[in-house]
Amino acid sequence: MKPYLKRAWAEVSLEKLKGNVSVIKKLNSPGTEIMAVVKADAYGHGDEHIVRCLADECGIKYFAVSNLDEAIAVRNFCPDVQILILGYTPPEYAHEIAMYNIIQGVVSTEYALALAKNSPQPIRCHIKIDTGMGRIGLKHDSPKACADEICDMINNIKNISVEGIYTHFAVADSDSPDNISYTDRQEKFILDTYDELVSRGIKLPHVHFMNSAATCYRNNSRSTLSRAGIILYGLHPDISLPIPEGLEPIMELKAVISHVKTVHKGDCISYGRTFTADRDMRIATVTIGYADGYSRLLSSKGEILVHGKRCRIVGRVCMDQLMMDVSDVPEAASGDIVTMIGSEGGDSITADELASMYGTIGYEVVCGISKRVPRIYI
Ligand SMILES: *Cc1c(COP(=O)(O)O)cnc(C)c1O
């Protein structure tokens, strides 16, 4: 373990990551490979260690990222893996896509033409189909019409090499009948498009549509890849649905008590005087704040584990510090390590739970842990 400043830090367990990968491998059919989604610095967990562990120790061969910078980073860690850029790359960088042997998600004929024009070498691509997410991709009323456009791209744009088609689900993390049939229709559209291409003599190596939620709740052996993101990190696609047994959060977020004091009835805590003590209380100050990604929306709401007991934040979360009520934890003292995300003494606060305290999702919590917070790998 490298020395690091014990102020606010995140501990990432690569053992738990490996455990999650084995759970996901068991969920998938033998013909489906994991495409590890490591965009946004591996959902805030740190792409270098995560990617190296996935590639070198778990045998993962496919990675997905959001942009060219992330793709080049993964390429530098792993010369041999397949890397798909899910998001936009400005066409003027097309030559770099080719140079680094990266696969670009292509969202329209116009975009394919622009990429082709800007690269001396062929650009590998997977064509994105918008089957209901409404974000990016070819949009058609029928799989036949969709296949027409794909055929035209393959036949007319010589400088792209189409290796697959894919789509993204909007509500695979919901168990309402309406949403399930919505996802059924999305899935049918992409598979019918693929089959239509096959019937025209085009058999692409890849068709993929599973994200984490689909991987957990509606695994389909026809998806050649499962684009697993959030479940790699052990969090829920949606807090209301349980995730398969064995998936565990891999990150804990910790900080230190810097100061403990007794306040009296009428004393105020933090900016804005939003909290006034209604009795004598023990208040501890903690070395983490919104500049670390611990949201200010957790002011007077968030809970922190101190010696295994939950303590409530009092007053506003500051940039680098916050205060909490440790009246029920008499042993709390300056220098003690406390847990914002993680387990202590039988209790645990997950990123998903923290997210629900202020109306967001675990994804945003882990992605939001800022650069200033060192990631420690254990
Ligand atoms: C982010 C993303 C994923 C991964 O989503 P999770 O819910 O984290 O599994 C998969 N596919 C696409 C296109 C994405 O943008």
Side-chain angles (χ1 to χ4, degrees), residues 87-339:
Y88 180 70
T89 306
E92 58 263 41
Y93 296 101
H95 63 286
E96 290 197 42
I97 300 175
M99 189 168 83
Y100 288 97
N101 190 23
I102 286 161
I103 308 165
Q104 174 64 47
V106 162
V107 300
S108 67
T109 298
E110 185 196 4
Y111 184 56
L113 284 166
L115 289 174
K117 202 176 74 185
N118 280 280
S119 172
Q121 295 160 269
I123 304 274
R124 300 172 64 194
C125 66
H126 287 194
I127 297 178
K128 178 74 182 285
I129 317 297
D130 181 2
T131 59
M133 175 68 182
R135 191 165 65 179
I136 44 173
L138 275 53
K139 191 161 161 46
H140 288 282
D141 293 335
S142 71
K144 277 200 165 57
C146 192
D148 286 344
E149 184 173 355
I150 296 166
C151 283
D152 285 346
M153 285 163 87
I154 292 172
N155 293 330
N156 301 332
I157 311 177
K158 292 295 170 235
N159 212 19
I160 62 166
S161 159
V162 178
E163 300 179 6
I165 62 171
Y166 69 112
T167 196
H168 194 42
F169 291 150
V171 283
D173 58 353
S174 162
D175 62 355
S176 87
D178 184 43
N179 283 335
I180 289 171
S181 58
Y182 192 88
T183 311
D184 290 343
R185 288 197 296 278
Q186 286 196 267
E187 189 178 84
K188 183 168 177 357
F189 196 104
I190 188 77
L191 287 171
D192 286 354
T193 303
Y194 184 80
D195 292 340
E196 180 64 28
L197 291 169
V198 172
S199 77
R200 300 180 193 188
I202 298 170
K203 194 164 186 312
L204 299 173
H206 286 289
V207 52
H208 51 102
F209 43 87
M210 289 199 287
N211 56 3
S212 289
T215 302
C216 293
Y217 310 124
R218 45 180 306 138
N219 205 289
N220 185 320
S221 62
R222 291 207 59 196
S223 190
T224 58
L225 302 170
S226 84
R227 300 191 309 266
I230 201 73
I231 52 172
L232 277 177
Y233 312 103
L235 299 177
H236 291 62
D238 185 292
I239 186 87
S240 65
L241 289 184
I243 49 177
E245 187 146 359
L247 292 173
E248 271 190 277
I250 70 169
M251 187 202 277
E252 301 205 335
L253 180 63
K254 310 212 163 167
V256 172
I257 293 179
S258 58
H259 185 79
V260 184
K261 61 179 173 281
T262 299
V263 301
H264 302 296
K265 183 174 171 168
D267 286 348
C268 299
I269 304 289
S270 198
Y271 289 119
R273 297 174 57 209
T274 58
F275 181 86
T276 306
D278 57 2
R279 63 199 146 90
D280 282 7
M281 301 171 80
R282 298 268 296 159
I283 299 292
T285 302
V286 182
T287 56
I288 193 167
Y290 61 75
D292 301 294
Y294 193 84
S295 178
R296 188 168 174 277
L297 298 171
L298 289 160
S299 296
S300 291
K301 258 192 205 161
E303 291 177 339
I304 293 175
L305 292 172
V306 183
H307 293 282
K309 289 197 196 110
R310 282 177 185 246
C311 294
R312 171 71 73 88
I313 292 171
V314 292
R316 288 202 180 138
V317 173
C318 308
M319 189 182 293
D320 318 304
Q321 308 176 71
L322 57 81
M323 277 64 78
M324 63 183 173
D325 177 5
V326 291
S327 303
D328 295 334
V329 191
E331 67 270 41
S334 170
D336 288 353
I337 294 174
V338 300
T339 300

